[in-house]
């Protein structure tokens, strides 16, 4: 039919659009998931970070109190 054109004049255009959706849609979804953080934990605030460092022994009580005053 039509000497090899098969799907008419725009068959190739439609095929590119179909493959664009098949490949592009999942890629776009992954990009949005990565950009938003993908459901990772929320960012800890400075006070929580300071308390964790004190609890783990990274800083002593004097350093903890000094930094806590700077945050308040």
């Amino acid at each position: 039919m039509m000497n090899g054109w098969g799907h008419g004049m725009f068959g190739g255009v439609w095929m590119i659009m179909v493959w664009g959706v098949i490949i592009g849609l999942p890629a776009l979804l992954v990009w949005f998931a990565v950009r938003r953080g993908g459901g990772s934990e929320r960012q800890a605030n400075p006070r929580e970070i300071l308390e964790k460092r004190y609890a783990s022994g990274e800083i002593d009580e004097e350093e903890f109190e000094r930094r806590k005053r700077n945050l308040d």
Side-chain angles (χ1 to χ4, degrees):
M1 182 171 190
M2 297 181 62
N3 294 329
W5 284 84
H7 296 288
M9 199 164 164
F10 297 105
V13 173
W14 286 111
M15 185 57 70
I16 290 170
M17 289 173 61
V18 167
W19 281 108
V21 169
I22 290 172
I23 295 170
L25 188 60
L28 191 62
L29 291 173
V30 168
W31 182 73
F32 276 123
V34 168
R35 189 168 176 219
R36 290 192 52 187
S40 63
E41 292 183 22
R42 66 173 179 81
Q43 186 85 11
N45 67 33
R47 178 74 177 245
E48 290 172 343
I49 294 170
L50 182 62
E51 289 170 353
K52 285 180 184 179
R53 289 184 66 197
Y54 177 63
S56 69
E58 279 185 59
I59 57 175
D60 60 4
E61 185 178 0
E62 181 182 323
E63 181 74 11
F64 173 74
E65 292 298 329
R66 184 179 65 79
R67 290 181 185 229
K68 188 170 72 168
R69 279 192 307 270
N70 286 340
L71 288 175
D72 293 333

